[in-house]
Structures are given as structure tokens and as C-alpha cells.
Amino acid sequence: MAKIKTTYFCQSCGFQSAKWLGRCPSCGEWNTLVEELVQKEEPEKGGWRSPSSGPGSLKIAAKPKAIHAINYEEHPRVTTTDAELNRVLGGGIVPGSLVLIGGEPGIGKSTLLLQIALSLAGMRVLYVSGEESEQQIKMRAERLDAPTSDCHVMTETSTQNIFRVVEHFEPEILIIDSIQTMQSSLVESGAGSVSQVRECTAEFMKYAKESGVPVFMIGHITKEGSLAGPKVLEHMVDTVLTFEGDRHTTYRILRTTKNRFGSTDELGIYEMLGTGLRQVTNPSEILISQRDEALSGVTIGSMLEGNRPLMIETQALVSVANYGTPQRSSTGFDAKRLNMLLAVLEKRGGFRLGQQDVFLNIAGGLRVEDPAIDLAVCAAIVSSYEDIAIPPSVAFAAEVGLGGEVRAVSRIESRIAEAEKLGFKQMFISKYNMKGLDTKGYRISIKPVSRLDEVFQGVLM
């Protein structure tokens, strides 16, 4: 007989308790413990290759090995036709990896993975959906207008049934849509609960590591924006990707928040069209507005996202505060850093911004954390304050210190090359970046500066 017991799980972090608690001792959240039934099934009803499931059923005890005695054979990554996804994953799909993709409802997670599955010609791909019917997936595949591939679709939510099919089908890539709809017979609670999400993820992880088949899982998110389920879900998988963007705009951003096989600083940019997601190979062109005339408060700065340099538009609006305390509002930029730059401009630059409302916006919906955008932000604020337009052919790439000094930034060569490729004629950088920089090969005019007043004299006077 199966043994059934009741356990309380924290919906925020996955903490287990034998009794109900008002506050979770692990994460400190209130009223997050819910009661769930946990059932310990017999071994013959287990998951992937359980002790009596046929091939591979003999369990050999693991033995410790010296690290130099371990045989290591490097398997080539699976390179897809999606260059943006390859970049985000660190160069392609790693065999045996477990990848989790999360994002807002309707943002395009299922479309992205189905599009990738259809583009992998010559590979056996199994797309398992627990949310859509086969007919719905077929309709979406026809809309994507993807080339014919060896992609098979199955609608199932039981992990045991999925593994029975996988055992005979032997896919080269497995896609699960989504992990919150999967259910294991080892746990009695309903699909989407903390215990079910953890158990199903563990089964798919075991399958990926033992078979060497990459597994992609789609994950739901909560109203706070974090992945639904216990925090251990993100610890178990190899890679966590987040698909971001506003559903009212066409552009989507694929970010890496965890990657055991590559950098976590990369991002991919897509455009949502009627025929699917289009890769944006030159995102700087969509992040810079096309204007017929120069406007005050608008500058172009250089930032790095991973190894990719981007030219982005910074917009500032400075006006007199007529209603008491001045407002300080920023979109896509850290508000505390904005206050710091305003203090530097007032103390070191002599600009009276204490009674001014200041609004700052990073165009394109990006959130910037690169300090190299500081100089562009300061120039945009002063341009709006003085109501003097900065020529659209001028770009900025430097950090601003508390003393009003213009500091050097990393990888200045790639920033200059990106600005030159987009047709900029002049670029302000720190003079401390000039050490070892060969300016003869650039057509763009490079203006080295050391203090903020030198910048304003060069573009505003």
C-alpha cells in the first residue's frame, strides 16, 4: 500500500513543515504555507528508468573517482539557425542540458520554442504540450511558415507516460510546455503545486543527464514577476532564460539569469511579427529614434550587454517644479544613480537643478546598468535644462565620478566601432581611455575629455 501523508509547503521557497506556520522560517514570507498530500508510490511506478522499468533498471552504486582519472569527452554544441538563441546560451545547445524559459503570459515563449523546433532540420524533436491541443499547435506552426522538419507533437501531462514514449521515440531534443502542467504519480498533489513542480523537474533533469538529450521547459511566472514554483526550481536547472517585453510593442528581449555553460550577460532581441519572431541582428537601429530635426534633451550613449555594444537613445526633460517638491522620475535607469548625477551637475557643474522636475527615459524599453551611459545622461539633462539641442551625430561613452571627472570604461574599441558603423561623426570618451588606443584607423572623430565642463563646452557652446 502507498503511504500518504500531509505536508505543508511554502509557495515562495519550497520549505517543508509538518504543521502549518504563519510565517515561513526559510524566506520570511507570511501566509505562504499550503497543505499538500504527498504519496510515496511503489518503486514500479517510478519515473525515468526506475528500478523495474526495463532497460537500464540495474542500479550500480556510485564510487568516488580521482578528478584526473575521470574520462572527459567534449561533445559539440547543437547550433540552431537562431543566432540570438545561440548567443544567449553561450554558443549553442549543450547536450544533456536542462533549460528553463520564463516570461509573461502571451509574450511568445511557446512561439519561440516551436519556431526553434521547426527550424532544426535533420533532428528528431519531441514537443510535449500540456496547455494546447495538437490542432492548436498545428495552426501556430502553419502561421510560423517554418521549413519542414522532423518535429513531433504530443499532448500529455503525465511524466510517466511521457517517459514511456521517449523510451521508444528517442528524441534528440525534448520540449516541455509547460512544467507547471506536468504531473508525476509519485506525488499526490495537483499539477502546479510546489511538490509537483519540484518532482517533475527532478525527473526531467535525471532524464537529460542520463540520456544526453537537451530538455527545454517553459515556466510560468507569478504576479511579482518571479518564476512560479519553489526557488529550488532555478537551482536545479542548468540555464534560466527570461523572455521580456511589453505585449503592446513588437520587440522582445531574451536574457540569461543563470547559465552553467556560458556568460549570464548576453541577451537576444526579437521582433514579433505575424509570421513569428524575427531576429534583430542590429538592435542599435531600433533603439535610436529616426528624427528629422534635432531636439533638446536627447543624446546617444554606448552600453554593453554581454559582449554586444549597443547605441541607445537617452531622453531627458527638465522643467520648473511648480508643485512643491521636485519630481525625479526615471524609466530604464537606476533612480538612485540619477539623483547622484543630478547632485554632481549641481555641485560640480553649477547647474541649479534643485527646483527642477527631472524625467529620464531610456528609449526602446531597455534597462541600463552600464555606467558608461552616465555621460550621455548628464549631457541630455543639461541639454534640456539649457534648451539647446545636441547634434544627432554625436555619441557619448564614459562614466561620471562624484568629483565631476569623466572616467574610463571597458572595451572602448568595440564601442567606437559600433558608433562608427552607425554613421556617428563624433564621440566623447574619457582621456584615460586613450592609453593604447590607436585612433588612426577610425573615421569617427574622437574627443577625449577629463571633466564635465569640457563636454558641455564642446557640444552646447
Side-chain angles (χ1 to χ4, degrees):
M1 291 292 294
K3 183 178 180 181
I4 300 177
K5 68 176 183 178
T6 299
T7 307
Y8 291 87
F9 288 91
C10 174
Q11 297 289 336
S12 178
C13 66
F15 175 79
Q16 301 182 29
S17 174
K19 60 180 181 179
W20 184 84
L21 300 173
R23 184 181 184 184
C24 175
S26 177
C27 64
E29 295 291 332
W30 289 90
N31 299 324
T32 57
L33 270 72
V34 295
E35 183 181 12
E36 294 182 6
L37 294 177
V38 180
Q39 179 178 1
K40 300 296 183 181
E41 292 286 351
E42 298 297 330
E44 61 269 14
K45 296 183 181 180
W48 167 251
R49 287 186 176 175
S50 57
S52 58
S53 61
S57 60
L58 292 179
K59 184 69 175 179
I60 302 176
K63 297 181 180 179
K65 291 183 180 180
I67 191 168
H68 59 80
I70 299 175
N71 295 325
Y72 169 67
E73 182 180 354
E74 184 174 359
H75 297 281
R77 293 175 181 248
V78 178
T79 304
T80 69
T81 58
D82 191 332
E84 299 296 305
L85 179 67
N86 294 337
R87 179 188 298 109
V88 170
L89 292 177
I93 304 173
V94 177
S97 61
L98 185 61
V99 182
L100 177 65
I101 300 181
E104 291 279 351
I107 203 69
K109 304 182 295 297
S110 301
T111 301
L112 175 64
L113 288 185
L114 181 60
Q115 186 170 302
I116 294 170
L118 295 174
S119 65
L120 292 172
M123 296 190 67
R124 292 170 61 85
V125 181
L126 179 59
Y127 188 102
V128 181
S129 176
E131 299 180 348
E132 297 176 287
S133 66
E134 297 175 354
Q135 291 77 15
Q136 290 175 314
I137 299 174
K138 173 65 175 179
M139 292 172 56
R140 183 147 44 89
E142 291 179 348
R143 176 174 58 85
L144 296 177
D145 194 22
T148 304
S149 65
D150 195 10
C151 176
H152 294 70
V153 176
M154 182 176 71
T155 55
E156 183 59 67
T157 58
S158 172
T159 58
Q160 282 68 35
N161 294 338
I162 293 173
F163 289 133
R164 290 191 191 100
V165 174
V166 164
E167 193 88 37
H168 298 90
F169 184 74
E170 296 182 352
E172 296 177 81
I173 291 182
L174 177 62
I175 298 175
I176 304 298
D177 183 10
S178 64
I179 187 61
Q180 276 79 15
T181 61
M182 296 294 113
Q183 191 168 12
S184 173
S185 61
L186 297 177
V187 180
E188 187 66 20
S189 59
S193 62
V194 171
S195 53
Q196 280 288 359
V197 170
R198 182 176 59 248
E199 179 62 32
C200 293
T201 302
E203 293 181 11
F204 286 119
M205 179 180 65
K206 181 181 178 183
Y207 164 72
K209 301 307 177 186
E210 293 185 0
S211 65
V213 175
V215 178
F216 285 84
M217 302 188 308
I218 292 178
H220 299 167
I221 65 171
T222 63
K223 59 183 180 181
E224 290 82 13
S226 58
L227 284 165
K231 192 67 176 178
V232 70
L233 173 64
E234 299 179 46
H235 291 285
M236 294 172 68
V237 300
D238 297 312
T239 305
V240 179
L241 307 179
T242 57
F243 209 32
E244 305 172 355
D246 190 347
R247 286 183 295 173
H248 303 291
T249 61
T250 59
Y251 296 106
R252 304 287 187 267
I253 298 176
L254 184 65
R255 294 183 184 272
T256 312
T257 57
K258 174 189 176 182
N259 192 356
R260 289 174 178 163
F261 312 110
S263 172
T264 58
D265 297 324
E266 299 292 348
L267 87 163
I269 300 181
Y270 298 86
E271 182 181 8
M272 179 65 79
L273 303 175
T275 56
L277 292 163
R278 182 185 69 87
Q279 305 172 47
V280 179
T281 56
N282 188 8
S284 296
E285 292 182 352
I286 68 172
L287 297 175
I288 299 176
S289 302
Q290 303 298 324
R291 304 185 304 274
D292 296 330
E293 59 181 10
L295 300 174
S296 63
V298 178
T299 58
I300 306 299
S302 175
M303 63 172 288
L304 284 179
E305 278 288 351
N307 296 321
R308 171 187 283 189
L310 301 177
M311 306 300 295
I312 61 172
E313 182 177 299
T314 304
Q315 303 171 346
L317 178 62
V318 180
S319 61
V320 178
N322 296 320
Y323 303 100
T325 305
Q327 300 182 60
R328 302 286 188 260
S329 176
S330 64
T331 303
F333 191 78
D334 185 34
K336 293 183 178 179
R337 192 164 188 86
L338 173 61
N339 290 331
M340 183 200 76
L341 294 177
L342 291 175
V344 171
L345 288 174
E346 183 155 358
K347 179 72 174 181
R348 307 298 181 185
F351 299 99
R352 302 302 179 185
L353 301 172
Q355 297 301 318
Q356 305 286 328
D357 290 334
V358 180
F359 303 93
L360 183 69
N361 176 52
I362 304 298
L366 288 179
R367 177 161 187 84
V368 181
E369 297 180 355
D370 189 353
I373 203 71
D374 286 356
L375 189 58
V377 170
C378 291
I381 292 172
V382 175
S383 171
S384 178
Y385 178 75
E386 298 289 349
D387 201 17
I388 300 177
I390 295 178
S393 60
V394 177
F396 303 87
E399 181 182 356
V400 176
L402 291 177
E405 73 277 11
V406 178
R407 307 181 65 179
V409 294
S410 62
R411 298 189 57 198
I412 191 63
E413 295 88 354
S414 61
R415 300 175 193 266
I416 296 175
E418 179 70 12
E420 185 180 59
K421 183 177 69 174
L422 294 177
F424 289 92
K425 298 179 180 179
Q426 196 175 60
M427 191 170 191
F428 285 85
I429 67 172
S430 171
K431 75 172 186 178
Y432 304 106
N433 272 127
M434 298 298 294
K435 298 178 181 178
L437 180 64
D438 185 12
T439 59
K440 296 181 180 178
Y442 297 112
R443 297 187 303 272
I444 187 173
S445 175
I446 300 176
K447 300 293 185 181
V449 293
S450 60
R451 299 192 63 80
L452 283 175
D453 53 357
E454 300 176 21
V455 180
F456 303 144
Q457 291 174 4
V459 294
L460 296 178
M461 303 301 177

